[in-house]
Amino acid sequence: MSKALVCTCEDVTVTDVEHAIERGYHDVESVKRYTGFGTGICQGKSCHAAVAALLKQKAPALKPEGVVPFTPRPPLYPTELRLLASAPVDEAVPPVGGVPQELEHFPSALRPEGPVPQKAKVVIIGGGIMGLSLAYNLALRGETDVVVLERGYLCAGASGRNGGGVRMQWGTPALIELAKRSIDLMKGFARELGVNVWLRQGGYLFLAKRKDTAYRLDRNAALHNKYGVPTRIITADEARQIVPDLTMKDCVTAAYNPEDGVIFPWAFLWGYAQGCVKRGVKVETYTNVTGFETSNGQVRKVKTDRGDIACDTVVIASGAWSPAVAKLADVALPNEPHRHEILSTEPLKPFLSPLVSVLDTGLYFSQSMRGEIVGGMGDPKEPAGPNMGSTLRFVSRFARALTEQLPHVGQVKVLRQWGGLYDVTPDNNPILGRTPGLDNLLQMSGFVGHGFMMAPAVAERMAQWMTSGASDELFTRFNLRRFEEGTLEREDMIIG
C-alpha cells in the first residue's frame, strides 16, 4: 500500500490507482472516473503522466497505444465566469463544431482480445445506467445468463455526462410514479450494493419567467400533490430564503419540492456494474455491435467485432445511439440525439442546497458534494446530431444566465466543460417493450434527459416483466407502436 500522491488536487494516491486497476479499469478515462484524478484545478496536467506510467506497470497486458491521453476539455486554463460571459454569441446562428470534434471511436488497443460468449439468454446492448440496472435486476431474479455490450468504457455515454439531478416534479403520472420509486431505491443503494452515490435531497427549485411557464408549474404542482409529492408554489421572497443571493430577476413564480435531489453519476453506474459482475453477468466493454441475424420474426444472433452471440432476447438500451443500433435490424426508431453541454467550476464552500432551474431558458445549476457548481443550459438552436463537443457559445450563454441569478459567482472559475446527448422522442417519453415484427427485440430508450433518474424503477419493472411473463401497462403505454397509432402523451417538464 502506497500513500504517495499522484494527484495532489484530488488527493489520489498510488494505492487508489492500483485499486482501480484491480477492479478492471485499465484505461486513463476509466481510472479518472473511478478515482477522480485529473478533475481538480490543474485538470490532469501534473498527474496524467504518472497515472499512465502506473497503468503500464500494473497492467502489463495493455498495449502502449492503450494508455490513451485525456479527452481534451476546455477551457485550457481555469477561467472566471464573468470573463466567459463577455464572449459574444450570435443567438440567431445555430452552434457548430466543438472540442473535441470526434468522440465516436475508441482506441482499438483497448478492445479485449478474446471472443465474446457464443451464446446467452439475454443480450443487452448498452452499458449505461439503463442496461446495467436492467442486467442487475435480472440477476436478482435469477437470470444471470446475461451479456451486456458496451462500445466504450463505463460512463463514456450520457450516464457519465449528466449533472446527477433526480426529481419527482414531472408533468405526467407515469413519470412521477417512476421517479418516486427510483429515489426510494437510491436511498438504499449504498446498503444494497456497497457504493455510496452521495444522494443529497436538497430539493429542486424551478423558476418561471413567463406566464405560460408559471401556469405549467402551478398545474403540475397540483398533480404532484395528488400523487404524494410535496411540491409547493412559492413567492420570490420564499425562493430567496431557500437560496440566499438569488436575484429572481424577471421571475414571476417558483415551484419547490424539498424531496428532489442530486447524486453522483459515476458511482451509481459503478455500483450496478459491480453488482452485475458479482452475480455472474458478463459486462463486455470496448465491444461494437455490427449487426443482427434474424429469421421468422426473431433475432437469433447479435453480431459484434469480437464474434457472434446466439440469444433468446435482445434489449436495445443504447440511449441516443439506439436508433443506429436498431437500424442494423431494419427497425426505425423516432429518437433523435441532441447535444446538451455542461460545466463544472472550482469548489466553493457549501451555499446551495437545491438544484435550481429556470424552466423557460433551460438553465440549471447545483452544488456538488465537493463544492463545485455543476450546471448546463439548453440551446434552442442546437441541431439534432451525435455531436458531443464543447463550445464557447455554451459557456458564454450559461455564464450570463447564471450570473443573472447569482451575481456573486462571477469571479468563480470554470475548470472544465463537456457535452452529452439527450435521447429525444417526439413526445418526450421513453420507448419500452417489444418491437413490432421482432418479438424478442426489446426497446429501452428515448428517455430524453431523464433516463438516469428513471433507470432504477424502469429496470426493476422491466426485469419483473421479462422474467414473470406478467403484463405491465408501462410496456404498452410506451410501446413503439404508439407513434404510428398516434396515442401520444407528451411530457412537458423537460429542462432545456
Side-chain angles (χ1 to χ4, degrees), residues 29 39 45 104 121 125 145 163-164 168 190 206 220 244 253 270-271 277-278 280 290 333 348 372 374 405 429 446 466:
E29 290 289 345
T39 61
K45 295 180 180 67
E104 286 291 294
K121 191 167 183 181
I125 303 172
D145 189 12
M168 306 175 211
F206 278 108
N220 288 342
T253 193
W270 300 326
V277 172
K278 286 179 181 177
T290 58
L333 298 182
L348 307 172
E372 308 136 320
V374 178
Q405 295 300 330
N429 274 312
M466 289 172 64

Side-chain angles (χ1 to χ4, degrees), residues 339-388:
R339 172 174 59 181
H340 279 249
E341 298 184 58
I342 189 170
L343 60 74
S344 178
T345 72
E346 62 185 327
L348 307 172
K349 290 182 178 180
F351 76 97
L352 183 61
S353 294
L355 184 149
V356 180
S357 174
V358 182
L359 196 55
D360 315 76
T361 65
L363 171 74
Y364 69 91
F365 54 93
S366 65
Q367 191 172 24
S368 74
M369 291 289 284
R370 300 196 308 180
E372 308 136 320
I373 297 175
V374 178
M377 185 176 181
D379 192 328
K381 291 291 185 179
E382 182 69 49
N387 184 1
M388 290 195 292

Side-chain angles (χ1 to χ4, degrees), residues 20 64 73 110 145 226 243 274 280 319 325 374 454 472 490 493:
R73 302 219 183 280
L110 293 172
D145 189 12
K226 180 180 177 181
V243 181
Q274 292 172 16
V325 175
V374 178
M454 299 292 178
D472 186 325
R490 186 170 180 80
M493 283 289 285

Side-chain angles (χ1 to χ4, degrees), residues 23-25 27 29-31 33-34 106 126-128 132 148-157 159-160 266 269-274 277 283-286:
R23 289 294 184 103
Y25 301 105
D27 62 87
E29 290 289 345
S30 296
V31 174
R33 282 156 179 77
Y34 194 81
F106 301 96
L132 289 171
V148 179
L149 302 175
E150 167 55 46
R151 70 191 188 105
Y153 54 86
L154 297 183
C155 293
S159 297
W266 298 348
L269 199 71
W270 300 326
Y272 277 125
Q274 292 172 16
V277 172
V283 180
E284 303 286 347
T285 55
Y286 297 105

Side-chain angles (χ1 to χ4, degrees), residues 3-77:
K3 293 184 178 180
L5 290 173
V6 293
C7 175
T8 56
C9 295
E10 296 301 319
D11 294 329
V12 178
T13 66
V14 169
T15 297
D16 293 331
V17 175
E18 290 175 343
H19 182 60
I21 295 170
E22 290 169 3
R23 289 294 184 103
Y25 301 105
H26 291 169
D27 62 87
V28 168
E29 290 289 345
S30 296
V31 174
K32 171 187 173 182
R33 282 156 179 77
Y34 194 81
T35 64
F37 97 87
T39 61
I41 195 75
C42 85
Q43 289 297 284
K45 295 180 180 67
S46 63
C47 54
H48 170 241
V51 172
L54 281 170
L55 272 170
K56 185 58 185 169
Q57 177 187 347
K58 301 296 181 178
L62 188 66
K63 298 176 182 177
E65 58 269 32
V67 185
V68 293
F70 271 87
T71 299
R73 302 219 183 280
L76 183 60
Y77 300 104

Side-chain angles (χ1 to χ4, degrees), residues 223-270:
L223 182 65
H224 301 162
N225 295 165
K226 180 180 177 181
Y227 285 89
V229 177
T231 303
R232 67 180 191 271
I233 301 299
I234 60 176
T235 66
D237 286 340
E238 289 174 313
R240 282 189 284 265
Q241 289 176 7
I242 296 169
V243 181
D245 299 319
L246 189 67
T247 66
M248 293 292 289
K249 180 176 171 56
D250 298 330
C251 296
V252 296
T253 193
Y256 177 62
N257 172 26
E259 295 183 2
D260 294 332
V262 178
I263 68 169
F264 183 36
W266 298 348
F268 201 34
L269 199 71
W270 300 326

Side-chain angles (χ1 to χ4, degrees), residues 320-337:
W321 291 269
S322 294
V325 175
K327 189 177 180 180
L328 297 173
D330 295 323
V331 173
L333 298 182
N335 320 32
E336 283 188 337

